[in-house]
């Protein structure tokens, strides 16, 4: 995250003696990206964060990928995946994936295990419900409409809260996720033309200070998964400072960029990752040229697959196609896509769109995973051929 935070107790100078009340040293831990050459944070533990008692290979749920063949647009109905509930890490049902990103959905009603993903950052979007994100950095509370970014290798636990289960879209990167570079200064400050800024971003405010012994942590790494038993609970941090930590941002704080004629998807960009972007479509005033057509024009993105998760309101360009709350559309590179028949004419004269959606555009093809195939609407590809 592009700004500095200091939480709890830290010494005035880094890498100097910082002692506990009994005179022993706190254990300093540097969490950093790109081998000491990028953002980092310093954490101060009561116990050694390196002390493990056991390690064994762990077999996670399998994920099968198949190419999008025959090449065609797809419609996935995530609410068809509803079951009895699951935990928000191991219960994820994977929909789409490539070597850069995996996209999953989960209806969660119980806490996850302690988990660390050493392969990349996560961006979690809460469709509904609420959740507490616990980590060595402290607690971060999230509600419907929040994005939560969890940096690579952060041990964390996701705890659904409230009376209803938490519906969660998980975007798992093979690298780092952050704000678009064009919205940041050379020193990492949000610029004036950015659709959100530091005031909209939330991070943990107080340490958790959990004490405990012999706790299990699941770790996904580049060779598979391992279950560790740590000698002490990793949330024993008394203080930390730096630029790297879990953070949250509400889609409702995204300020839409509008114009006299239809604005292209890059104005909705909210995050960037390795070979993909995440965009937010929010309620907004639409095109005000007297001859404007507010819905998108037909377009053929030759370099990217476009995935759109519909999470509220009414999406005018897709009316009549069966799109509903929780739907995901996939419009692949190699296929021209656009509004449903009649949508362009119906949109003329509209001055406001009440829509809420999260888009993931990838620059390598997305494969279909087991859960994506299981909840597909097989008739979606042919809806453009229907008469309005």
């Amino acid at each position: 995250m592009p700004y500095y935070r200091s939480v709890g107790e830290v010494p005035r100078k880094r890498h100097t003696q910082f002692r506990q009340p009994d005179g022993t040293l706190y254990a300093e831990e540097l969490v950093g990206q790109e081998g000491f050459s990028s953002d980092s944070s310093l954490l101060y533990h009561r116990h050694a964060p390196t002390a493990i008692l056991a390690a064994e290979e762990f077999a996670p749920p399998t994920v099968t990928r198949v190419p999008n063949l025959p090449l065609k647009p797809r419609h996935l109905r995530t609410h068809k995946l509803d079951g009895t509930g699951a935990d928000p890490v191991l219960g994820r049902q994977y929909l789409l994936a490539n070597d850069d990103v995996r996209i999953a959905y989960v209806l969660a009603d119980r806490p996850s295990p302690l988990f660390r993903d050493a392969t990349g950052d996560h961006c979690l979007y809460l469709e509904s419900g609420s959740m507490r994100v616990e980590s060595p950095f402290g607690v971060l509370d999230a509600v419907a409409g929040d994005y939560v970014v969890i940096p690579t290798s952060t041990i964390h636990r996701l705890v659904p809260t409230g009376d209803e289960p938490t519906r969660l879209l998980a975007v798992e990167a093979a690298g780092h996720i952050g704000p678009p570079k064009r919205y940041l200064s050379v020193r990492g400050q949000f610029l004036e033309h950015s659709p959100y800024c530091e005031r909209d971003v939330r991070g943990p405010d107080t340490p958790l200070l959990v004490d405990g012994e012999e706790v299990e942590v699941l770790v996904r790494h580049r060779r598979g998964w391992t279950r560790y038993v740590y000698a002490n609970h990793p949330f024993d941090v008394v203080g930390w400072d730096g630029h790297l930590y879990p953070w949250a941002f509400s889609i409702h704080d995204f300020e839409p960029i509008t114009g006299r004629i239809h604005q292209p998807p890059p104005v909705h960009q909210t995050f960037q990752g390795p070979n993909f972007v995440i965009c937010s479509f929010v309620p907004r005033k639409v095109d005000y040229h007297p001859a404007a057509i507010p819905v998108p024009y037909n377009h053929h993105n030759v370099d990217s697959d476009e995935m759109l998760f519909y999470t509220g309101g009414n999406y005018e360009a897709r009316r009549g196609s069966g799109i509903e709350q929780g739907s995901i559309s996939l419009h692949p590179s190699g296929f021209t896509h656009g509004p449903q028949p009649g949508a362009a004419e119906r949109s003329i004269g509209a001055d406001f769109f009440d829509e809420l959606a999260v888009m993931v555009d990838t620059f390598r093809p997305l494969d279909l995973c087991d859960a994506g195939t299981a909840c597909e609407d097989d008739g979606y590809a042919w809806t453009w051929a229907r008469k309005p």
Side-chain angles (χ1 to χ4, degrees):
M1 192 51 221
Y3 73 94
Y4 171 85
R5 290 175 64 87
S6 180
V7 171
E9 300 176 62
V10 297
R12 196 184 75 80
K13 293 285 287 183
R14 58 184 177 178
H15 313 316
T16 59
Q17 297 175 32
F18 183 35
R19 296 190 178 276
Q20 305 191 47
D22 65 2
T24 59
L25 288 170
Y26 285 110
E28 188 179 40
E29 178 189 14
L30 176 72
V31 179
Q33 298 175 343
E34 299 180 15
F36 302 91
S37 300
S38 189
D39 293 345
S40 66
S41 287
L42 276 171
L43 297 88
Y44 295 88
H45 293 264
R46 287 173 169 168
H47 308 283
T50 50
I52 58 173
L53 301 174
E56 62 180 9
E57 192 172 359
F58 177 77
T62 58
V63 179
T64 302
R65 290 165 43 180
V66 296
N68 181 7
L69 292 174
L71 186 73
K72 63 178 183 177
R74 309 274 179 166
H75 172 205
L76 313 181
R77 288 179 161 148
T78 61
H79 288 195
K80 277 189 151 188
L81 300 172
D82 287 0
T84 57
D87 86 64
V89 170
L90 294 180
R92 292 178 190 177
Q93 301 192 67
Y94 288 87
L95 305 167
L96 302 162
N98 61 26
D99 290 342
D100 303 312
V101 64
R102 304 202 305 180
I103 299 166
Y105 188 82
V106 62
L107 176 66
D109 64 355
R110 67 201 68 171
S112 75
L114 290 174
F115 173 64
R116 161 186 276 164
D117 191 340
T119 67
D121 293 359
H122 289 189
C123 181
L124 312 178
Y125 177 80
L126 273 70
E127 178 191 353
S128 62
S130 57
M131 183 176 70
R132 187 173 70 247
V133 182
E134 300 174 348
S135 76
F137 298 90
V139 171
L140 188 57
D141 290 312
V143 297
D146 277 346
Y147 293 103
V148 178
V149 178
I150 301 177
T152 306
S153 277
T154 300
I155 297 176
H156 61 279
R157 187 169 77 124
L158 304 179
V159 183
T161 56
D163 297 328
E164 61 174 320
T166 297
R167 294 184 178 273
L168 189 70
L169 183 77
V171 180
E172 302 173 359
H176 304 309
I177 298 172
K181 289 183 179 179
R182 70 178 181 278
Y183 292 140
L184 302 176
S185 74
V186 294
R187 294 178 178 83
Q189 181 181 6
F190 281 106
L191 298 171
E192 281 293 298
H193 65 285
S194 173
Y196 64 106
C197 72
E198 289 85 356
R199 296 185 188 183
D200 301 315
V201 170
R202 312 190 310 275
D205 290 324
T206 57
L208 263 173
L209 287 176
V210 175
D211 276 321
E213 297 181 349
E214 297 196 20
V215 61
E216 290 188 355
V217 177
L218 296 180
V219 177
R220 178 161 64 196
H221 47 88
R222 295 171 188 174
R223 296 291 187 180
W225 288 57
T226 297
R227 179 194 284 116
Y228 291 99
V229 177
Y230 276 75
N232 298 283
H233 202 290
F235 298 169
D236 64 342
V237 172
V238 298
W240 61 271
D241 74 335
H243 292 250
L244 192 64
Y245 47 85
W247 55 284
F249 165 70
S250 173
I251 196 172
H252 303 298
D253 286 328
F254 186 87
E255 300 300 332
I257 298 170
T258 60
R260 289 210 330 143
I261 59 174
H262 187 78
Q263 299 298 294
V267 303
H268 306 287
Q269 188 181 353
T270 313
F271 307 100
Q272 66 180 41
N275 290 317
F276 72 89
V277 299
I278 300 175
C279 301
S280 302
F281 290 80
V282 301
R284 64 194 182 280
K285 286 186 175 294
V286 290
D287 322 340
Y288 46 89
H289 187 283
I293 302 175
V295 298
Y297 35 79
N298 297 312
H299 51 288
H300 183 181
N301 290 343
V302 298
D303 293 320
S304 62
D305 281 13
E306 176 190 291
M307 187 225 84
L308 203 58
F309 175 63
Y310 302 86
T311 183
N314 300 301
Y315 199 76
E316 293 297 327
R318 292 284 167 266
R319 193 192 303 178
S321 64
I323 295 295
E324 59 196 7
Q325 178 70 30
S327 283
I328 285 178
S329 64
L330 172 64
H331 296 151
S333 168
F335 180 85
T336 301
H337 63 276
Q340 290 292 314
E345 191 68 43
R346 287 194 306 266
S347 75
I348 294 174
D351 61 2
F352 186 83
F353 280 177
D354 181 23
E355 64 186 18
L356 199 65
V358 174
M359 185 169 79
V360 181
D361 269 10
T362 67
F363 295 100
R364 286 201 273 190
L366 283 165
D367 293 333
L368 293 164
C369 301
D370 299 345
T373 302
C375 68
E376 184 178 4
D377 166 17
D378 291 330
Y380 178 71
W382 327 122
T383 56
W384 282 267
R386 298 175 188 163
K387 292 183 179 180

